[in-house]
């Protein structure tokens, strides 16, 4: 019984240490940032990037305040913190006649990237309080006429056990937002982006997918609009998102810039093929990736394929973007990994608008290159690359088995 007593003492203490270590990534001034940050949307309109949670919330709050017909928002994570409160209050105050928020059921179990109730969190009172605050925000929105739905309930089956609905989108009248930002403080503080566009046809297409999700269905769809081409993948039966990524890489003739925290096979291999035909490939990812073995796996692949790897040293870059030859930009909710490519519902847009690409180059690519450091200059393959590859391969095999071999 000594081992049981030791575990009871060890896991909560380890959880406390991890919680204290995470405090350095929290910014108590986020609420003030959300109040002071101005919307980045230009007066003349047009597609524009919102870089970071504060810019995104400023633009979304302004659109919600003037909405008339609909305010439809889908997210993976929604938490009882400053980011969650900002969205809740903006939705409650919005004059839109139809207001609906879909939150993946992931948020019922995970808050602040921590599993509620795990052995590491038994005595983490703050985590339980945050979940309670999330539940109270949901009830407050419902009390004020917002239809709040928890999508993809956990259970057995390919679509409900592990693969979450990872899409992040907003449709406010004819304004759309797509990208990678969730409604949580830590995601708002990460480096991330959303693309805003005013396009009635694109808004209609995203609204149609939103209502499919609202009734528990995930579907494939494609569309070409004034601002971008859209691909929505349902995740399990087909691989539309992976096909779109592979096609873009195959079309590259000069250079590929990828910024993403999560990159695995088969995308690493496809980038290696592009390098062998003479394409310059640069990857920017986080130095502090929150998935075991991911960084080692990426480092090993970059060493094998002669890919330039730069590490973002701050909290996290959660950007999910790929720029091909300076004139084709892929971005959305999808990471460049097997989970987004094969298993879970995602959306991705391909942008060819020169103004948006110029903005991305200036505000994202150039900044990331300037503020990251060159790992490949170290000139050696990491000793733990094999461990990282094993971890990624094991994860893909297990999840593939759960989801019927996909």
């Amino acid at each position: 019984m000594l081992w049981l007593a030791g575990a009871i003492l060890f896991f909560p203490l380890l959880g406390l240490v991890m919680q204290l270590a995470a405090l350095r990534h929290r910014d108590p001034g986020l609420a003030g940032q959300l109040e002071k940050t101005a919307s980045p949307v230009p007066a003349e309109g047009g597609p524009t990037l919102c870089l970071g949670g504060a810019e995104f919330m400023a633009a979304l709050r302004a659109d919600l305040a003037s909405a008339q017909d609909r305010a439809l928002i889908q997210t993976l994570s929604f938490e009882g913190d400053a980011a969650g409160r900002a969205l809740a209050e903006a939705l409650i105050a919005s004059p839109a006649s139809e207001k609906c928020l879909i939150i993946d059921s992931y948020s019922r179990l995970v808050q602040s990237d921590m599993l509620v109730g795990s052995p590491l969190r038994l005595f983490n009172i703050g985590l339980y309080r945050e979940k309670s605050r999330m539940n109270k925000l949901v009830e407050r929105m419902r009390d004020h006429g917002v239809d709040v739905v928890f999508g993809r309930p956990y259970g057995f089956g390919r679509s409900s056990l592990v693969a979450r609905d990872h899409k992040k989108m907003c449709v406010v009248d004819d304004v759309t937002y797509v990208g990678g930002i969730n409604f949580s403080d830590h995601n708002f503080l990460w480096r991330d982006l959303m693309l805003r566009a005013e396009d009635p046809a694109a808004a209609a297409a995203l609204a149609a997918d939103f209502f499919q999700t609202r009734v528990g269905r995930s579907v494939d769809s494609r569309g070409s609009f004034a601002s971008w081409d859209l691909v929505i993948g349902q995740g399990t039966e087909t691989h539309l998102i992976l096909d779109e990524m592979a096609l873009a890489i195959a079309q590259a003739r000069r250079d590929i810039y990828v910024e993403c925290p999560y990159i695995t096979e088969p995308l690493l291999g496809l980038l290696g093929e592009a390098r062998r035909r003479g394409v310059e490939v640069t990857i920017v990812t986080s130095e502090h990736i929150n998935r075991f073995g991911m960084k080692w796996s990426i480092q090993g692949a970059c060493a094998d394929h002669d890919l330039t790897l730069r590490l973002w040293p701050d909290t996290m870059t959660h950007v999910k973007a790929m720029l091909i030859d300076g004139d084709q930009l892929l971005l959305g909710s999808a990471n460049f990994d097997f989970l987004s490519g094969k298993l879970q519902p995602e959306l991705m847009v391909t942008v060819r608008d020169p103004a948006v690409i110029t903005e991305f180059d200036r505000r994202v690519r150039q900044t990331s290159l300037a503020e990251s450091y060159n790992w490949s200059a170290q000139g050696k393959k990491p000793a733990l690359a094999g461990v990282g590859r094993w971890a990624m391969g094991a994860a893909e095999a297990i999840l593939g088995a759960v989801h019927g071999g996909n």
Side-chain angles (χ1 to χ4, degrees), residues 351-369:
V351 184
R352 294 182 176 84
D353 185 312
V356 174
I357 291 176
T358 298
E359 186 182 9
F360 176 84
D361 182 71
R362 177 178 61 85
R363 301 192 68 204
V364 180
R365 192 186 73 88
Q366 291 185 30
T367 301
S368 294
L369 292 177

Side-chain angles (χ1 to χ4, degrees), residues 101-315:
L101 170 63
I102 299 176
I103 307 167
D104 190 87
S105 291
Y106 174 87
S107 287
R108 287 188 181 274
L109 298 181
V110 179
Q111 294 280 297
S112 297
D113 269 359
M114 293 181 282
L115 180 64
V116 179
S118 77
L120 293 174
R121 318 295 177 195
L122 287 179
F123 300 130
N124 190 332
I125 303 302
L127 185 60
Y128 292 98
R129 286 177 176 170
E130 185 162 344
K131 183 179 179 183
S132 175
R133 288 194 296 268
M134 184 269 289
N135 290 332
K136 289 177 180 177
L137 278 178
V138 168
E139 290 307 312
R140 174 168 164 73
M141 285 188 284
R142 286 172 173 166
D143 289 343
H144 287 80
V146 181
D147 179 23
V148 182
V149 178
F150 284 93
R152 280 210 167 197
Y154 280 95
F156 294 102
R158 291 190 302 177
S159 297
S160 57
L161 182 59
V162 177
R164 298 289 84 211
D165 193 323
H166 198 244
K167 298 194 295 287
K168 293 99 173 168
M169 71 165 81
C170 308
V171 180
V172 184
D173 289 347
D174 290 335
V175 174
T176 62
Y177 293 82
V178 295
I181 301 181
N182 292 296
F183 292 94
S184 64
D185 279 8
H186 65 277
N187 201 164
F188 267 36
L189 292 167
W190 287 343
R191 182 169 176 79
D192 209 341
L193 58 82
M194 298 289 282
L195 174 66
R196 179 191 183 276
E198 298 181 37
D199 188 328
L206 288 173
D209 183 79
F210 181 93
F211 287 115
Q212 291 282 353
T213 303
R214 171 68 180 80
V215 296
R217 288 195 290 266
S218 296
V219 297
D220 291 331
S221 65
R222 290 181 178 272
S224 294
F225 310 104
S227 302
W228 27 256
D229 297 333
L230 170 69
V231 174
I232 298 176
Q234 53 87 14
T236 52
E237 302 297 337
T238 59
H239 300 159
L240 261 63
I241 295 293
L242 179 58
D243 293 344
E244 195 74 6
M245 296 173 181
L247 177 61
I249 293 171
Q251 291 173 340
R253 295 295 176 263
R254 187 177 68 252
D255 55 73
I256 300 174
Y257 173 86
V258 179
E259 183 166 344
C260 187
Y262 313 126
I263 312 172
T264 69
E265 300 295 349
L267 277 306
L268 288 168
L270 294 175
L271 291 169
E273 291 176 9
R275 182 71 191 100
R276 285 189 286 276
R277 63 174 190 268
V279 177
E280 293 293 330
V281 179
T282 300
I283 294 174
V284 175
T285 194
S286 290
E287 182 179 19
H288 308 288
I289 303 175
N290 58 353
R291 288 187 187 173
F292 174 76
M294 179 73 72
K295 182 174 71 173
W296 304 331
S297 174
I298 294 171
Q299 287 174 333
C302 288
D304 287 344
H305 298 304
D306 189 31
L307 311 179
T308 298
L309 175 62
R310 301 187 66 87
L311 297 179
W312 179 261
D314 292 333
T315 51

Side-chain angles (χ1 to χ4, degrees), residues 16 22 38 41 59 73 78 98 101 176 184 202 234 317 360-361 384 400:
L16 179 60
V41 178
I73 297 175
F78 176 83
E98 181 178 28
L101 170 63
T176 62
S184 64
Q234 53 87 14
T317 174
F360 176 84
D361 182 71
L384 293 174

